[in-house]
């Protein structure tokens, strides 16, 4: 039995070596988990490393994964699958956020969650700025499966609540403490920030929609596509 398992493991390793593993760029020589085998090894060592598909733990959650469409600042489709993954403890906390919001008739809408390092390299190439796109020299917390880009929706209508800006608006108005806003907009933004913070997510000062999970430092940078994660 063990022998069969081993043969299967080697066989699937060969498939990935010949296919998905087309030399991923790592110009800064960062410690990056870039193969499904490395990732699975990390999960065996510590189950907290597992990337959870958010739709599986929050059924019906609204996803608007912009990078899986051309409707994003790059103008092209970056992801082949529109999934939202987060590491296990971050996913658990997001479940708690959704539960608390539901008691107010509200819910989350996700724009992005785990992001492969390859995408961070691409974004930096386009934006050439580290305020709105993470530096590829350090990698993004999205690459660690610990960041999530979200907004609030009305659970009944599905409509997004009024927020200061559109997603990926690279201006001062996107700041988490930008003061010159209509009262309702301010209240909506601050409610999102307060509930996320209560469950372990800190807002990024320059982007009201971006949240980092406390303890992100203990998770590795990753460069596996959603496609590789889905078919693993
Ligand atoms: Zn983000």
């Amino acid at each position: 039995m063990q022998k069969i398992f081993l043969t299967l493991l080697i066989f699937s390793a060969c498939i990935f070596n010949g296919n998905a593993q087309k030399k991923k760029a790592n110009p800064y020589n960062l410690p990056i988990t870039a193969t499904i085998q490395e990732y699975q090894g990390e999960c065996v060592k510590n189950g907290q490393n597992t990337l959870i598909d958010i739709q599986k733990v929050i059924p019906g959650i609204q996803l608007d994964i912009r990078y899986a469409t051309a409707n994003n600042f790059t103008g092209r489709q970056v992801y082949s699958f529109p999934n939202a993954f987060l590491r296990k403890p971050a996913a658990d906390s997001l479940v708690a956020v959704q539960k608390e919001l539901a008691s107010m008739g509200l819910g989350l809408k996700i724009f992005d969650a785990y992001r492969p390092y390859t995408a961070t390299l691409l974004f930096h190439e386009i934006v050439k700025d580290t305020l709105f796109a993470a530096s590829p020299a350090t990698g993004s917390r999205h690459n660690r499966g610990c960041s999530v880009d979200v907004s609030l929706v009305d659970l009944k209508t599905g409509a997004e609540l009024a927020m200061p800006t559109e997603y990926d608006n690279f201006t001062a108005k996107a700041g988490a403490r930008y003061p010159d806003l209509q009262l309702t907009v301010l209240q909506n933004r601050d409610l999102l920030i307060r509930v996320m913070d209560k469950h372990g997510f800190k807002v990024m000062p320059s982007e009201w929609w971006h949240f980092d999970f406390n303890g992100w430092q203990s998770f590795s940078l990753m460069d596996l596509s959603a496609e590789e994660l889905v078919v693993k």
Side-chain angles (χ1 to χ4, degrees), residues 14 21 26 58 66 89 107 109 130 134 153 186 228:
C14 289
Q21 257 253 98
N26 183 5
I58 311 179
R66 297 289 180 88
K109 164 156 125 173
T130 52
V153 293
L186 221 135
E228 287 171 277

Side-chain angles (χ1 to χ4, degrees), residues 112-113 115 140 142 147-149 167-168 204 207 209-211:
D112 197 19
R115 176 187 303 161
S140 161
H142 278 289
S147 296
V148 65
D149 298 335
Y167 176 56
D168 272 353
M204 178 180 262
E207 301 175 353
W209 59 81
H210 175 108
F211 294 85

Side-chain angles (χ1 to χ4, degrees), residues 128-165:
K128 302 225 184 298
D129 170 275
T130 52
L131 182 63
F132 289 105
S135 165
T138 55
S140 161
R141 290 160 200 180
H142 278 289
N143 304 150
R144 298 176 190 268
C146 289
S147 296
V148 65
D149 298 335
V150 285
S151 187
L152 291 176
V153 293
D154 182 309
L155 274 187
K156 231 185 263 160
T157 65
E160 187 178 353
L161 269 57
M163 286 294 177
T165 65

